[in-house]
Amino acid sequence: ITADVDELEASIRGAALHPSGPLRVELPAAVADAIVLPALGEFHARHPDLALTLGVSGRPADRIGDAIDCSVQLGELPDSSLVARRLGTLERVTCASPAYLDRHGAPRTLDDLAVHRAVGTSSVPGQRTAELDFLVDGAVRKVRLDGTVSVEDEQAYLACGVHGLGLIQPPRVAAQPLIDAGRLREVLPRWRPGAIAVSAVYVKRPHVSPGVRAFVDWIVERFERDREGVAVAGAMARQLVPEVVEMNDR
């Protein structure tokens, strides 16, 4: 019996040091393009026996139905059945296409927004309004605008901005390449949107799988490296402060 226990403990230690098998991770496009994909070779070299499958989408993940082991989520996470490791925050930017700004004028103050439209990010059927937020003297001020479309997908949100459908507030890591290319133009830089939280999330279980632990530890390192404002894919991922959060203890 003692020998069997020793063998089991040794196998567990080996799995933790050398995780193997399939691992499915869901990522928002901004995090995938700017942070994960450029360094994926490093992860594979560190864990060659993990068969990693990446899904890139801005929609909420169905972790059970889609057999997702781990996901990276933007925004707050109210689900108490989850464990989240806070990676940090991503700066956002208010912007629109040059064509839209030529038609409607570039807003110079928040009061100017009364005559503008914005792209929504709500899944509520039939909703025709969109909400932007700005930091004013340290407090968040929300501005509700008319809109012609609401989307759930992050890439579609950017595309709506590029095609002149209204103002948008995407993460800067996603928008900066389009700003640099002249396809989007930043507006109202004096009143920046609040940063958006980024968390690695997985379903609460008695034991975290070695593969999930390996990926989460690695992506925490990636965010930590960029915490001091290192350029990532032509943009900046700022204010990255690691923090462990268990959802039902908030």
Side-chain angles (χ1 to χ4, degrees):
I1 292 174
T2 302
D4 288 343
V5 170
D6 290 342
E7 183 178 350
L8 177 60
E9 289 179 344
S11 67
I12 292 173
R13 287 195 298 271
L17 293 172
H18 306 286
S20 61
L23 178 68
R24 182 169 180 182
V25 178
E26 195 77 12
L27 301 169
V31 174
D33 293 344
I35 297 172
V36 173
L37 294 179
L40 204 54
E42 171 194 298
F43 179 80
H44 178 69
R46 187 181 300 183
H47 303 291
D49 296 325
L50 277 175
L52 182 63
T53 299
L54 292 180
V56 180
S57 171
R59 304 184 64 179
D62 179 1
R63 295 167 188 82
I64 303 299
D66 294 335
I68 295 170
D69 298 298
C70 177
S71 65
V72 174
Q73 302 271 137
L74 302 182
E76 297 304 321
L77 304 166
D79 191 339
S80 62
S81 68
L82 304 174
V83 175
R85 186 163 183 180
R86 180 66 58 83
L87 301 175
T89 59
L90 291 180
E91 178 189 352
R92 292 187 297 151
V93 59
T94 306
C95 52
S97 72
Y100 172 87
L101 296 174
D102 288 343
R103 289 197 308 271
H104 299 277
R108 300 186 181 279
T109 70
L110 298 186
D111 291 337
D112 292 343
L113 293 173
V115 297
H116 282 271
R117 293 178 176 270
V119 178
T121 57
S122 172
S123 59
V124 179
Q127 181 164 309
R128 295 295 298 272
T129 60
E131 194 171 75
L132 303 181
D133 67 83
F134 302 88
L135 292 176
V136 180
D137 297 328
V140 176
R141 176 176 169 183
K142 296 184 179 295
V143 180
R144 188 175 294 273
L145 304 179
D146 289 335
T148 57
V149 63
S150 287
V151 296
E152 298 179 26
D153 181 78
E154 181 185 350
Q155 294 290 65
Y157 186 60
L158 280 169
C160 286
V162 167
H163 292 299
L165 297 180
L167 297 164
I168 58 173
Q169 289 185 323
R172 185 176 286 276
V173 290
Q176 192 64 47
L178 296 169
I179 293 173
D180 293 342
R183 302 181 69 190
L184 290 174
R185 188 185 304 163
E186 182 176 359
V187 297
L188 300 171
R190 179 180 171 186
W191 298 279
R192 297 184 182 276
I196 188 168
V198 188
S199 303
V201 181
Y202 50 92
V203 176
K204 186 186 302 181
R205 293 188 174 94
H207 302 287
V208 180
S209 77
V212 168
R213 187 178 299 280
F215 181 82
V216 171
D217 288 346
W218 174 76
I219 198 170
V220 166
E221 289 181 21
R222 288 291 303 157
F223 270 81
E224 177 66 24
R225 291 177 199 173
D226 300 324
R227 183 164 57 114
E228 301 302 326
V230 176
V232 180
M236 305 297 284
R238 299 179 182 169
Q239 303 173 22
L240 304 179
V241 182
E243 176 185 355
V244 177
V245 180
E246 189 157 330
M247 308 307 293
N248 62 340
D249 290 337
R250 282 190 172 180

